Amino acid sequence: MQANPKGVLTGTHFLDGDQACCEGALAAGARFAAGYPITPSTEIVERFAWRIPTVGGMFIQMEDELAASIAILGAVWGGAKAFTVTSGPGFSLMMEHIGYAAMTETPCVFVDVQRGGPSTGLPTLPAQGDMMQARWGSHGDYEIIALCPNSPQECFDVTIRAFNLAEEFRVPVMLMMDECVGHMTEKVVIPRAEEIEIYPRRHTARGPGEYWPYETNGDLVPEMAHAGEGYRFHITGLTHDERGYPAMNAAAQDRLVRRLKNKIRAAADRLALYEEEATEDAEVVVVSYGITSRVAQRAVEMARQRGIRVGKFRLVAAWPFPAARLRELAQRVKVFVVPELNCGQMVLEVERAAAGMARIIPVTHAGGDVHRPETILEAIVEAAR
Amino acid sequence: MTAVVETPVINPVEPFLRMDRMPHIWCPGCGIGTTVNCFARALIESKADPEKLAVVSGIGCTGRVAGYLHVDSFHTTHGRAIPFATGLKLANPSLQVVVYSGDGDLFAIGGNHLIHAARRNIDLKVICVNNFIYAMTGGQTAPTTPEPATTTTAPYGSYEPAFNLPYLTESAGATYVARWTTYHVRQLTRSIVEMLQKKGFCLIEVLSPCPTLYQRRNRLGDALETMKYYKERSKTRHGAPTSEVGLTMQGDIVVGKFVDRDRPDYLESMRRRLAEQLGDKFAGVGVLA
């Protein structure tokens, strides 16, 4: 279906990534946001609080991130599209509800504008240190989707994608921004509402009495109902059966947990979005994402000027990870250079995908700044040697 | 010959229960089931539409209530029933949203959410079953455990002061606060009926025996003896200052309706402020896109 024009600020704007993310959420149909202030993400909900009363909907500032991250889930079961935004310390507090959302299959979006960590770390400075936390931070086995935009325009576009995927797969989707992308101001083009495709809620067509909340029909994603519609359904974070009733045994656990994983895994090929440039003849491929991909771009250009056959591989989705494509590349690429604003996180996935077929050179950075293009260039030169 | 048609006798509360989930998990003598019975009877009495009612629970023995009620029901995370219910209520204000949970869930891990929901005056109806202990996990100290009761984590007796739940809830801004015990089934039912008609953040504390863990470990007898204690030592004092209703171990229990006042709820305040500031540009607070 098409976007509701009420939330779409069609036109050409000069926005930072945080503001663009807010506009993406509004365009995607988010009408409920709950948040707790934390740098460098707060601007997203500040804008939402300012915009939403004229669009229709609401923002509530909760007492902490635990509250914000579950208030949105309550709102979703009440019929809304909802999201929350945070940064490292708040993201840590939200982990339990990311797990609850995964377990109860509540479609929702968590935005993490990453800053230096661990702990309070560097509140105003960039990092990409929450990438593994996004995937593994809550306890137990589950799957999520995580996207990592690298520009304000992409913050707009990818936020819409995040909401659409949340609805399609009934899964929490993480938008893994970073302080630089969040605070960088660039041109953002917002199309007309009819040009924006929206994935509608998978609302059941069945009537009350013929509906169980976790019954699946071939498809691995069950249909939803909202509170107050007469279905009188039950939702729990306990392991549950198709009726939504607690089922405390290994067989029910196996059935549920494997379905929660498989609904994402089965679609991994189309979910694992990436962008590739000049990889056809490349001996060296730089794998990067978020703000680091912008620095890597410069390093790749410099290396090409020196005649090095280097290509670029940018993760648009971090999770599911595009392992299949990287494995293909590993068969003919000599070296993957992996710069990131952490001490080596996604590089572990690159290594896993390459399975020993290509050498891996991580270019780590503890955060607080971005790489210098020369640092990445040095790694490319060393790789090509 | 006249055919004899036997109509099965149905307990009037059955339509509000998920009978396909019985028997429930609660121990013999536990008071939670009694409160559920009162709640269901209050629904009948108040002619509440079960399709417009949602019950939200946290974690613990009382946290299992949501799962046994045949309404839209949510068993959430430990301590977070209130913020979940906040999102649910704000997204669909036409729902009657009841939070049904225990003392540890609502006042320890969830204490911050409770005071803020009361401060905002979110239109939530909270039933707090207080058994003085963490029962689901085997009988640990709760913020309500009276001195010097023994628990598994206070094997030599508790030396922490307990929270006075009505006092705390009133101070935070609740519009309705009452306390009963599972002995007071009629009063409790009436109080729930009254609360369901009230607007704003409301709380009823219900003292309930946990014969398995609290009474037994403290040699206070069985559930029946607890009923006798409730009967003998409860003093009904409507309008009692909540600062004076704190509980002591096996001491007097002040019961009654302590607070019944009106103030604008969160949505009302939000709507008024935004309409005042934005005039015609205010598009309303409806969240359904």
Side-chain angles (χ1 to χ4, degrees), chain A residues 336-340 343-344 347 351 360-364 379:
Chain A
F336 289 113
V337 171
V338 189
E340 48 185 340
C343 294
V347 67
E351 220 171 286
I360 311 290
I361 302 183
V363 188
T364 60

Side-chain angles (χ1 to χ4, degrees), chain A residues 4 6 29-32 50 52-64 66-68 70-81 96-97 100 104 208 212 226-238 243 245-246 248, chain B residues 15-16 18 20-21 50-54 64 66-68 70-78 80-81 83-92 95 112-114 116-117 119-120 122 266-267 270 274 278 281-289:
Chain A
N4 181 337
K6 274 202 298 188
R31 296 293 180 266
F32 185 97
W50 169 63
I52 195 67
T54 62
V55 172
M58 73 177 80
F59 168 70
I60 182 167
Q61 185 173 315
M62 296 300 285
E63 51 276 11
D64 59 28
L66 284 150
I70 199 163
I72 63 166
L73 308 184
V76 169
W77 286 100
K81 279 194 180 182
E96 185 175 10
H97 294 142
Y100 185 72
T104 56
W212 290 114
H226 298 138
E229 295 175 333
Y231 290 91
R232 299 166 80 169
F233 58 81
H234 183 59
I235 299 300
T236 177
L238 287 167
R243 298 171 299 174
Y245 291 176
M248 303 292 100
Chain B
F16 294 95
R18 296 185 194 277
D20 54 348
R21 290 211 57 217
E51 301 197 346
K52 292 290 171 198
L53 175 78
R64 293 301 188 97
Y68 295 123
H70 191 210
V71 294
D72 291 324
S73 55
F74 299 92
H75 182 219
T76 63
T77 56
H78 196 17
R80 321 301 168 196
F84 182 97
T86 297
L88 183 64
K89 175 71 192 180
L90 296 181
N92 185 351
L95 285 175
N112 195 32
H113 309 310
L114 186 130
H116 284 278
R119 172 181 65 81
R120 295 183 185 108
I122 308 274
Y266 181 82
L267 270 174
M270 177 191 267
L274 294 174
L278 294 168
K281 286 190 201 150
F282 178 44
V285 297
V287 298
L288 308 179

Side-chain angles (χ1 to χ4, degrees), chain A residues 116 122 124-128 179-180 291-292 295 340-342 365-372:
Chain A
L122 302 168
T124 62
L125 299 172
Q128 296 174 315
E179 186 276 335
C180 277
I291 190 60
T292 309
V295 185
E340 48 185 340
L341 291 181
N342 57 50
H365 189 308
D369 196 356
V370 294
H371 292 83
R372 290 170 60 249

